[in-house]
């Protein structure tokens, strides 16, 4: 027996239980009630089908119809994704605003890809070519930064029977392929179930740095293309700013930004700002490489649970084209809370703090969808998908389940510290507790281009910072005056590393992004001062004189030196050498 | 859906604020109910869960005195609504939107579902218009902008009500010819506190442009769950349909959260931290996220939620989850209050996240950001030095540190401290800031651009 239509039995918030859906599968989409709300089957017990509903369930009651769709929750993939803003289940928010007004009303629906938009398809494959999944059939210029590759969908192959340049919407046929079961038509759009990872030919360990223009990250806790990172921190510590900074300045070709259960204004901020910011590599507006998913905190929680998967499915699709993609999820804690809420309503046995027992495995399987890969397709192209997840632990307590489950899988930990945030040291990434397991990989790459001194300088700087922390303990007990002079000089160097290098104002046009060569020079300048001053100290120059040199102000402003003027750093180093020497002669 | 309204006498269980009604038909989730007692009195309820023919109803006035045999439950076939009208201005309502003053009944222009719908982020406009509250610590250091949600984090016994009232009284933008309204949503506060606000509104005439929603400490706690939604529905109506700039004061969210916890406990849900439900974050966000601006609309909704932190603990779930949703926080500090300073705003942990968008040329003054950073860092340095002095003694301080300690004392005394009726213009706040900075050598003013020092440094 096959039940295409069942009935609501129970409603409890976002969870609806229905009966009479015999044959329905886990994660199949259904339409619920007279209001025709979207939902997804998340549990089957006998004839009870539990459904998480993506829209507010007020007005739904027992007896109302539930209709199967036969399909799992899927995304539409094709030209038109770039520059879009979607909700958690890929409804286009711009189209909804246009047609339904300023509020998201129930049952509102519009296709994810705008059918009124026409695209120019240029074939790459030729008639007679033998093609299989992932092979590029042709391209569409999607935005000034993105050439959209139309690929043979996963699981398909055959011989190209017909292919022509066309101009049309995404539903337009671009090719016909003779497959094993006869000819099939290919359009510019394909569908993919969000909970299923898209296949790749091979996964490789990440081996290239993903630069971010953020000094503390690139220098001390670097990220890779295809890597995973998390940013935990209490409220107001700067998670969202870090995520926005990466979305702006990371050297990824595509950015998918998932606002998961956070503020509406933060998405608006991105929407209004990105079209005016220029990608440092190409000079094109950043929006030209960006896709936004917005499930704000006041939107239904079930859609929040789905939003992370929606985002990653889109990201994988661009990775499959051979791009390096970066996905930011702010915040994965809200995603976990959505799971907790649904799990609670399902009356599942709770694990830690009420989270479901499968929390850890869900988080792990999400981050595992990242990677540096060889894509499907006979050209053997590579692609990469990096994931950066914010985590919002209650009270900033890192021992809570979401942080702990995340730390078990991610390779980079940028720990935000509210003490640093209070003292307005931003980004408030704690340099003593954070780590990156990609350090060696990145050093290896960057050292080749920067005189081999990148990693040497970094290690020295970190040693200085660690020593500072020890000395600070001492100072708290006995006061600064009782420290030896070279220790006080080290404290000065550490302070300069903190204030003049690590501190980076995201909202200052000149400071918001720093290239690797400039990062190197900036740190090198500080270390150069330290070396010169130590020499002078040994030669008997009084410490106070070295701590009061005018050139210290110049060093403090060095972060604002324009990108393409290395000569200014050379001049600064000369000034440092001159003034310390002058101080030595003075005495 | 059933159009016939059905009445049932089949209440089977009563527990805490909840009631189980059996044998129902055609009932939907979220539906409103009328509950009639045999003595003629009535209460209100809402369907929290419905399974087959059993409906779980949350009783807003509480279940005290109810007996299963004695109640008749009528399901109204619709969710909770508020009848809105411009005539609400100047009036006082309870948590259900029923007027409780002596005025005539309101004839609603229309009825709106109080749960509202989520605002489409695409339709939002970013808040960036400076609101002058007349309070220096807010205007200069933690600037409030239109459409922002900026809570006061306070503790019991601290003067947050007075500060909230002062903001309500003085808030204005530096433009003229716009229409304002204040919506005051009281949840579980005492009669004295609420009377303080009402008297203040009457004294200043602000009552004319205010709508008051009152649920006092001895009113039914569960009604507090409906109240902020009523208030915000009224706010949305005034802001987006009547082009008004609405300031919503919600006080005290701690009481609201406790009501939520009571229901959650009665439903035997798996509790999150400290017994609060796991969905507290989501629930609070459906209140706070109703602040904002909409593209193409003239009005706006700015929220000042007030909450008392249990044991002054910022990591308690209520302030913690609030901080995760709001756009900053103003911290009210017991120590500063004890020093006799009003308003006792603790500047260092306070933050307005939207300040940068609301200040500077054309909004406040060009030197605003620099002065803000300079005052903040000088005060922080002074406070640090002071702490050090506590451990190591005054003698351990350097000459410069002694100066900064003096600065921070003067800062608290002249900048933080101000009169309850002292309405400082932003120019005035900037002037006090500059005056204080003259205590420090010019070479220490590293955060202020030379050009501004040239232009604004007070001439002796
Ligand atoms: N790099 C930075 N430069 C300058 N200011 C910053 C920086 N990072 C953070 N800030 C300041 O800190 C504030 C809070 O940052 P952010 O919104 O990113 O915090 P969050 O950790 O995401 O908080 P929540 O968990 O509440 O969302 C910002 O509004 C800004 O004022
Ligand atoms: Mg954030």
């Amino acid at each position: 027996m096959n039940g295409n239509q069942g009935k609501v039995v129970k409603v409890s918030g976002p969870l609806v239980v229905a009966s009479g859906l015999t044959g329905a599968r886990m994660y199949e989409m259904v339409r619920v009630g007279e209001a025709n709300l979207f939902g997804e089957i998340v549990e089957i017990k006998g004839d009870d089908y539990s459904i998480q509903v993506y829209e507010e369930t007020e007005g739904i009651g027992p007896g109302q119809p539930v209709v199967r769709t036969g399909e799992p929750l899927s995304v539409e993939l094709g030209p038109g994704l770039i520059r879009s803003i979607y909700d958690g289940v890929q409804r286009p928010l711009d189209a909804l605003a246009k047609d339904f007004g300023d509020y998201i009303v129930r049952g509102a629906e519009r296709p994810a890809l705008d059918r009124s938009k026409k695209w120019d398809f240029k074939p790459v494959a030729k008639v007679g070519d033998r093609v299989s999944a992932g092979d590029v059939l042709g391209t569409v210029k999607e935005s000034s930064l993105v050439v959209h590759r139309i690929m043979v969908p996963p699981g398909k192959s055959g011989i190209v029977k017909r292919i022509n340049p066309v101009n049309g919407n995404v539903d337009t046929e671009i090719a016909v392929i003779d497959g094993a079961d006869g000819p099939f038509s290919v359009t510019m759009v394909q569908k993919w179930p969000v909970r299923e990872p898209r296949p790749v030919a091979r996964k490789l360990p990440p081996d290239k740095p993903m630069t971010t223009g953020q000094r503390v990250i690139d220098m001390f806790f670097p990220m890779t293309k295809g890597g995973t990172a998390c940013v935990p921190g209490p409220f107001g510590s700067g998670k969202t700013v870090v995520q926005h900074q990466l979305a702006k300045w990371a050297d990824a070709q595509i950015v998918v930004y998932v606002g998961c259960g956070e503020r509406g204004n933060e998405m608006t901020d991105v929407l209004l700002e990105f079209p005016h910011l220029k990608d440092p590599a190409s000079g094109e507006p950043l929006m030209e490489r960006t896709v936004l998913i917005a499930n704000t905190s006041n939107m239904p929680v079930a859609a929040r649970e789905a939003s992370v998967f929606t985002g990653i499915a889109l990201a994988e699709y661009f990775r499959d084209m051979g791009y390096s993609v970066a996905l930011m999820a702010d915040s994965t804690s809200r995603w976990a809370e959505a799971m907790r809420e649904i799990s609670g309503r399902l009356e599942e046995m709770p694990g830690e703090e009420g989270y479901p027992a499968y929390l850890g495995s869900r988080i792990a399987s999400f981050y595992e969808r990242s990677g540096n890969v060889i894509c499907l397709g006979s050209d053997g192209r590579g692609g990469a998908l990096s994931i950066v997840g914010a985590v919002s632990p209650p009270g900033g307590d890192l021992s809570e389940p979401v942080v702990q489950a995340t730390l078990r899988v991610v390779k980079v930990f940028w720990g935000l510290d509210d003490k640093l945030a209070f003292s307005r040291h931003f980004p408030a990434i704690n340099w003593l507790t954070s780590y990156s397991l990609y350090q060696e990989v990145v050093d290896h790459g960057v050292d080749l281009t920067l005189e081999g001194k990148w990693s040497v300088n970094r290690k020295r700087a970190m040693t200085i910072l660690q020593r500072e922390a020890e000395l600070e303990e001492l100072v708290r007990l006995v006061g600064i005056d009782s420290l030896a002079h070279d220790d006080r000089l080290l404290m000065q160097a550490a302070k300069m590393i903190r204030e003049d290098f690590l501190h980076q104002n995201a909202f200052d046009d000149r400071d918001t992004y720093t290239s690797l060569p400039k990062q190197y020079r900036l740190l090198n300048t500080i270390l150069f001062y330290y070396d010169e001053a130590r020499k002078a100290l040994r030669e008997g120059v009084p410490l106070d004189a070295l701590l009061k040199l005018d050139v210290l102000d110049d060093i403090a402003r060095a972060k604002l030196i324009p990108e393409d003027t290395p000569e200014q750093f050379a001049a600064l180093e000369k000034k440092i050498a001159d003034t310390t020497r002058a101080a030595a002669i003075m005495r | 859906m059933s159009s016939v309204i059905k009445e049932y006498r089949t209440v089977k269980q009563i527990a805490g604020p909840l009631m189980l009604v059996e044998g129902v038909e055609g009932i939907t989730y979220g539906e409103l109910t009328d509950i009639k007692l045999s003595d003629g009195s009535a209460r209100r309820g809402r369907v929290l869960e419905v399974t087959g023919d059993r409906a779980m109803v949350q009783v807003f006035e509480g279940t005290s005195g109810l007996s299963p045999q004695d109640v008749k439950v009528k399901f109204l076939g619709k969710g909770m609504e508020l009848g809105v009208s411009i005539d609400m201005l100047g009036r006082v309502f309870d948590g259900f939107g029923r007027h409780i003053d002596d005025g005539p009944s309101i004839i609603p222009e229309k009825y709106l579902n109080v749960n509202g719908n989520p605002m489409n982020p695409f339709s939002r406009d970013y808040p960036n218009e400076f609101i002058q509250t007349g309070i220096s610590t807010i205007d200069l250091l933690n600037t409030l902008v239109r459409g922002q949600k900026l809570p006061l984090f306070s503790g019991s016994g601290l003067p947050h009500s007075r500060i909230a009232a002062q903001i309500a009284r003085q808030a204005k933008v530096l433009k003229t010819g716009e229409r304002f309204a204040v919506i005051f949503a009281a949840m579980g506060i005492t009669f004295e506190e609420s009377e303080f606000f009402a008297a203040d509104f009457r004294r200043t005439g602000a009552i004319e442009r205010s709508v008051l929603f009152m649920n006092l400490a001895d009113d039914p706690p569960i009604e507090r769950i409906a109240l902020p939604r009523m208030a915000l529905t009224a706010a949305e109506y005034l802001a987006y349909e009547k082009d008004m700039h609405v300031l919503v004061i919600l006080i005290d969210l701690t009481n609201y959260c406790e009501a939520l916890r009571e229901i959650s406990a009665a439903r035997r849900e798996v509790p999150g931290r400290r017994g609060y439900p796991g969905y507290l974050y989501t629930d609070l966000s459906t209140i706070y996220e109703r602040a904002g601006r909409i593209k193409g609309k003239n009005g706006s909704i700015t929220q000042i939620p007030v909450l008392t932190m249990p044991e002054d603990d910022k990591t308690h779930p209520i302030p913690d989850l609030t901080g995760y949703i709001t756009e900053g926080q103003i911290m009210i500090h017991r120590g500063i209050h004890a020093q006799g300073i009003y308003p006792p705003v603790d500047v260092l942990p306070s933050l307005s996240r939207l300040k940068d968008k609301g200040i500077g040329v054309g909004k406040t003054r060009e030197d605003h950001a620099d002065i803000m950073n300079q005052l903040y860092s000088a005060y922080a340095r002074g406070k640090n030095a002071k702490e050090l002095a506590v451990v190591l003694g005054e003698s351990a301080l350097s000459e410069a540190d002694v100066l900064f300690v003096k600065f921070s004392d003067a800062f608290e005394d002249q900048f933080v401290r101000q009169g309850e009726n002292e309405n400082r213009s932003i120019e005035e706040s900037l002037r006090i800031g500059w005056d204080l900075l003259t205590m420090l050598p010019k070479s220490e003013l590293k955060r202020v651009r030379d050009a501004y020092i040239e232009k604004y440094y007070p001439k002796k």
Side-chain angles (χ1 to χ4, degrees):
Chain A
M1 196 186 73
N2 219 353
N4 279 325
Q5 178 161 340
K7 272 188 178 6
V8 173
V9 179
K10 168 179 175 175
V11 188
S12 168
L15 189 83
V16 166
V17 180
S19 67
L21 294 174
T22 316
R25 293 163 195 275
M26 276 295 273
Y27 297 118
E28 180 173 330
M29 296 284 291
V30 293
R31 307 305 295 253
V32 177
E34 281 142 17
N36 215 21
L37 309 181
F38 260 118
E40 187 183 15
I41 297 175
V42 291
E43 188 183 83
I44 305 175
K45 267 190 199 158
D47 191 36
D48 283 346
Y49 296 79
S50 296
I51 299 160
Q52 59 173 358
V53 180
Y54 298 133
E55 298 174 85
E56 170 59 44
T57 51
E58 190 170 295
I60 304 293
Q64 292 189 17
V66 176
V67 182
R68 287 179 55 186
T69 67
E71 283 185 19
L73 174 64
S74 301
V75 281
E76 276 198 340
L77 303 168
L81 293 171
I82 298 292
R83 285 187 300 245
S84 289
I85 176 166
Y86 294 114
D87 80 348
V89 289
Q90 214 199 5
R91 291 187 298 179
L93 290 173
D94 50 348
L96 295 192
K98 201 165 113 240
D99 296 345
F100 299 93
D102 301 325
Y103 290 88
I104 298 175
V105 293
R106 296 198 307 176
E109 234 181 299
R110 281 293 171 266
L113 298 176
D114 183 356
R115 277 2 191 222
S116 69
K117 214 160 185 171
K118 294 230 157 84
W119 303 97
D120 260 322
F121 171 81
K122 295 206 173 60
V124 172
K126 292 182 294 294
V127 172
D129 283 358
R130 173 168 288 283
V131 293
S132 59
D135 280 342
V136 178
L137 293 172
T139 62
V140 169
K141 179 101 179 135
E142 185 175 5
S143 79
S144 63
L145 282 174
V146 179
V147 174
H148 197 108
R149 303 192 174 116
I150 308 289
M151 300 168 288
V152 179
K156 306 265 175 151
S157 62
I159 291 169
V160 178
K161 195 172 157 197
R162 203 164 62 225
I163 187 163
N164 285 308
V166 290
N167 177 279
N169 74 8
V170 289
D171 290 327
T172 314
E173 178 180 280
I174 51 113
V176 175
I177 295 175
D178 248 336
D181 315 322
F184 61 92
S185 157
V186 182
T187 65
M188 287 183 240
V189 60
Q190 45 175 287
K191 280 197 141 196
W192 188 262
V194 297
R195 294 183 191 278
E196 201 175 307
R198 284 176 63 88
V200 296
R202 208 143 49 86
K203 248 182 136 168
L204 308 168
D207 60 353
K208 283 185 214 66
M210 180 174 87
T211 60
T212 65
Q214 309 306 299
R215 297 187 287 265
V216 59
I217 293 178
D218 292 345
M219 180 66 73
F220 291 100
F221 311 109
M223 178 64 171
T224 51
K225 296 201 165 101
T228 49
C230 72
V231 205
F235 70 78
S237 56
K239 297 177 293 294
T240 303
V241 174
V242 167
Q243 296 267 38
H244 280 194
Q245 286 297 92
L246 297 198
K248 287 172 189 169
W249 309 124
D251 70 335
Q253 290 163 299
I254 306 283
V255 168
V256 178
Y257 192 97
V258 186
C260 176
E262 293 285 312
R263 302 173 185 81
N265 278 333
E266 292 174 346
M267 299 311 293
T268 311
D269 191 21
V270 175
L271 271 175
L272 296 179
E273 196 182 9
F274 275 35
H276 304 289
L277 293 173
K278 301 265 182 290
D279 170 29
S282 65
E284 291 296 322
L286 285 173
M287 205 60 204
E288 301 289 300
R289 64 164 195 188
T290 307
V291 188
L292 301 175
I293 313 281
N295 175 276
T296 57
S297 53
N298 53 342
M299 292 183 187
V301 289
R304 186 185 310 163
E305 195 274 332
S307 66
V308 161
F309 293 106
T310 298
I312 196 123
L314 300 185
E316 284 176 338
Y317 175 63
F318 283 104
R319 172 207 62 194
D320 290 347
M321 290 182 206
Y323 287 119
S324 72
V325 184
L327 177 127
M328 326 295 161
D330 184 12
S331 156
T332 58
S333 293
R334 308 302 166 218
W335 173 54
E337 283 164 14
M339 281 191 253
R340 173 168 71 184
E341 181 163 354
I342 304 290
S343 163
R345 307 247 182 203
L346 285 170
E347 291 167 18
E348 291 175 338
M349 182 68 101
E352 236 179 312
E353 295 202 10
Y355 285 104
Y358 47 80
L359 174 75
S361 60
R362 283 280 170 90
I363 287 178
S365 62
F366 164 64
Y367 282 103
E368 276 302 292
R369 289 174 76 169
S370 68
N372 180 26
V373 308
I374 303 293
C375 307
L376 288 185
S378 48
D379 57 358
R381 63 185 180 273
L385 169 48
S386 321
I387 301 182
V388 181
V391 193
S392 318
D397 168 13
L398 295 185
S399 69
E400 63 91 48
V402 184
V403 175
Q404 285 304 313
T406 305
L407 287 179
R408 281 200 291 275
V409 286
V410 301
K411 299 288 189 288
V412 180
F413 167 66
W414 297 317
L416 297 178
D417 192 320
D418 57 346
K419 284 199 201 65
L420 291 174
F422 275 173
S423 61
R424 311 269 152 121
H425 174 101
F426 289 117
I429 295 179
N430 184 318
W431 51 87
L432 297 175
T433 55
S434 301
Y435 60 80
S436 164
L437 302 184
Y438 299 127
Q439 194 120 56
E440 273 173 42
V441 176
V442 173
D443 278 352
H444 184 73
V446 183
D447 272 347
L448 292 180
T449 59
L450 285 170
E451 309 165 37
K453 278 178 71 182
W454 174 269
S455 59
V456 177
N457 275 357
R458 192 205 66 238
K459 282 176 198 148
R460 271 195 72 195
M462 187 47 83
T463 312
I464 293 172
L465 289 171
Q466 281 163 346
R467 177 75 185 136
E468 181 198 33
E470 294 166 18
L471 290 174
E472 262 174 353
E473 288 288 306
L474 218 61
V475 170
R476 256 194 292 281
L477 294 174
V478 297
I480 185 103
D481 288 331
S482 38
L483 287 191
H485 280 189
D486 38 334
D487 281 343
R488 287 189 58 188
L489 192 59
L490 180 137
M491 298 275 289
Q492 169 69 17
K495 177 166 175 260
M496 290 166 71
I497 296 172
R498 284 188 285 111
E499 293 179 2
D500 305 339
F501 184 83
L502 295 179
H503 182 116
Q504 187 169 6
N505 186 350
F507 305 113
D508 184 303
D509 295 343
R510 299 158 296 177
D511 201 21
T512 183
Y513 170 87
T514 310
S515 69
L516 293 193
K518 184 176 149 188
Q519 291 185 26
Y520 164 72
R521 286 188 200 104
L522 192 56
L523 186 61
N524 201 54
T525 304
I526 294 167
L527 294 174
F528 183 74
Y529 159 80
Y530 182 44
D531 289 338
E532 291 294 299
R534 272 210 306 188
K535 242 188 283 167
L537 193 65
R538 246 178 269 132
E539 287 164 18
V541 179
L543 177 70
D544 276 352
L546 294 169
L547 300 185
K548 281 193 180 133
L549 293 178
D550 285 343
V551 77
L552 292 183
D553 287 342
D554 298 312
I555 299 175
R557 273 192 299 269
K559 54 170 101 156
L560 305 182
I561 292 177
E563 276 292 340
D564 39 12
T565 54
E567 66 279 4
Q568 289 199 38
F569 279 99
L572 182 54
E573 288 196 5
K574 181 160 181 306
K575 189 167 172 192
I576 293 169
D578 290 349
T579 49
T580 41
R581 212 157 303 138
I585 293 164
M586 283 265 291
R587 64 174 284 283
Chain B
M1 211 175 285
S2 61
S3 50
V4 271
I5 289 170
K6 294 195 171 123
E7 255 184 18
Y8 299 93
R9 293 179 157 281
T10 45
V11 172
K12 284 286 134 81
Q13 275 179 38
I14 302 178
L18 306 179
M19 215 168 63
L20 190 69
V21 194
E22 290 196 355
V24 299
E25 217 187 300
I27 303 308
T28 64
Y29 175 72
E31 200 169 315
L32 209 58
T33 66
D34 264 347
I35 300 157
K36 287 244 158 52
L37 279 68
S38 60
D39 65 0
S41 66
R43 298 185 193 187
R44 290 263 181 143
R46 179 173 185 255
V47 176
L48 280 191
E49 188 174 304
V50 46
T51 311
D53 65 350
R54 292 144 38 108
M56 191 202 295
V57 175
Q58 151 195 319
V59 184
F60 286 102
E61 289 87 344
T63 50
S64 144
L66 292 191
S67 127
Q69 291 77 39
D70 183 40
V71 290
K72 222 164 38 183
V73 183
K74 189 156 95 182
F75 291 84
L76 303 180
K78 59 174 188 191
M80 219 185 310
E81 291 177 335
L82 176 70
V84 290
S85 152
I86 192 79
D87 299 331
M88 297 176 90
L89 288 169
R91 304 292 304 271
V92 186
F93 301 88
D94 70 1
F96 276 113
R98 296 175 291 215
H99 74 88
I100 48 174
D101 54 10
D102 312 327
S105 297
I106 305 268
I107 299 161
E109 184 187 320
K110 60 172 149 185
Y111 288 89
L112 298 174
N113 187 308
V114 299
N115 290 322
N117 282 315
M119 200 189 281
N120 187 331
F122 189 83
S123 298
R124 280 186 187 266
D125 209 354
Y126 205 78
N128 60 7
E129 266 176 296
F130 172 65
I131 297 180
Q132 182 176 294
T133 65
I135 298 175
S136 296
T137 42
I138 297 178
D139 292 351
L140 192 50
L141 300 179
N142 297 289
T143 315
L144 175 69
V145 296
R146 262 187 187 166
Q148 184 173 11
K149 37 195 180 293
L150 187 62
L152 301 183
F153 281 13
S154 188
S156 42
L158 296 179
H160 43 263
S161 295
R162 287 157 61 197
I163 300 171
Q166 187 172 4
I167 296 173
R169 199 163 57 227
Q170 301 180 349
K172 64 164 190 176
V173 288
L174 304 178
K175 250 197 260 172
T176 48
E178 295 190 309
R179 309 209 299 151
F180 299 97
V182 173
I183 292 198
F184 181 72
M187 291 162 277
I189 63 174
T190 60
F191 170 77
E192 268 172 66
E193 265 178 295
S194 80
E195 197 38 41
F196 163 77
F197 279 98
D200 198 70
F201 286 3
R202 279 193 297 268
R203 180 174 63 81
T204 57
I207 189 86
E208 301 290 314
R209 51 182 180 90
S210 305
V211 188
L212 281 63
F213 289 86
M214 296 286 200
N215 169 284
L216 300 187
D218 56 351
D219 286 334
I222 306 305
E223 202 181 289
R224 284 166 207 163
I225 291 173
L227 188 139
R229 299 186 162 81
M230 294 283 166
L232 287 162
T233 302
E236 282 166 356
Y237 166 77
L238 294 175
Y240 305 128
E241 297 189 34
K242 301 292 162 195
D243 291 343
M244 302 182 92
H245 293 286
V246 185
L247 182 72
V248 184
I249 294 180
L250 301 152
I251 180 172
D252 173 334
L253 263 307
T254 305
N255 297 326
Y256 170 85
C257 294
E258 263 153 28
L260 213 58
R261 177 165 69 176
E262 194 178 326
I263 299 208
S264 174
R267 296 185 67 180
R268 288 166 216 239
E269 291 170 336
V270 182
R273 293 213 163 181
R274 302 222 189 177
Y276 291 95
Y279 48 80
L280 183 59
Y281 171 85
T282 301
D283 189 278
L284 285 173
S285 76
T286 60
I287 295 175
Y288 299 143
E289 278 287 312
R290 288 171 84 170
R293 293 172 54 201
I294 294 181
K295 278 188 253 176
K297 299 262 165 125
N298 288 323
S300 64
I301 297 177
T302 308
Q303 281 186 20
I304 310 270
V306 180
L307 56 90
T308 45
M309 299 182 279
E311 295 174 343
D312 294 350
D313 175 10
K314 189 173 66 101
T315 66
H316 183 280
I318 299 171
D320 189 49
L321 295 179
T322 297
Y324 272 122
I325 308 165
T326 53
E327 287 140 347
Q329 67 282 334
I330 303 289
M331 303 289 278
I332 312 295
H333 194 260
R334 201 170 292 283
I336 303 177
H337 177 63
Q339 287 171 46
I341 293 175
Y342 174 91
V345 173
D346 190 1
V347 167
L348 297 180
S350 296
L351 173 70
S352 160
R353 303 206 196 171
L354 305 182
K355 62 180 187 310
D356 303 291
K357 316 258 176 178
I359 65 177
V361 187
K363 295 189 163 155
T364 53
R365 210 170 74 184
E366 54 183 355
D367 55 332
H368 187 152
D370 286 13
I371 287 294
M372 171 179 82
N373 291 330
Q374 187 64 64
L375 287 172
Y376 186 92
S377 91
Y379 179 58
R381 181 158 167 198
K383 288 290 259 192
N384 253 339
K386 227 171 161 172
E387 254 173 50
L388 210 68
V390 172
V391 186
L392 301 168
E394 300 267 347
S395 57
L397 296 185
S398 68
E399 224 170 281
D401 281 345
V402 172
L403 206 54
F404 277 96
V405 169
K406 277 211 189 99
F407 170 85
S408 70
D409 289 341
F411 176 84
E412 286 175 3
D413 190 51
Q414 293 163 41
F415 188 87
V416 177
R417 184 200 299 278
Q418 69 182 85
E420 204 169 330
N421 287 305
E422 183 183 357
N423 189 356
R424 291 184 188 157
S425 69
I426 182 67
E427 297 280 338
E428 179 88 14
S429 295
L430 282 163
R431 187 190 55 72
I432 298 172
W434 273 108
D435 281 348
L436 285 167
L437 289 175
T438 59
M439 293 177 69
L440 305 172
K442 266 190 195 172
S443 62
E444 288 288 354
L445 305 186
K446 290 184 184 146
R447 316 249 165 161
V448 189
R449 259 160 270 205
D450 293 344
Y452 298 154
I453 294 190
E454 192 90 352
K455 191 163 165 191
Y456 297 105
Y457 196 85
K459 314 262 184 305
K460 284 275 155 72

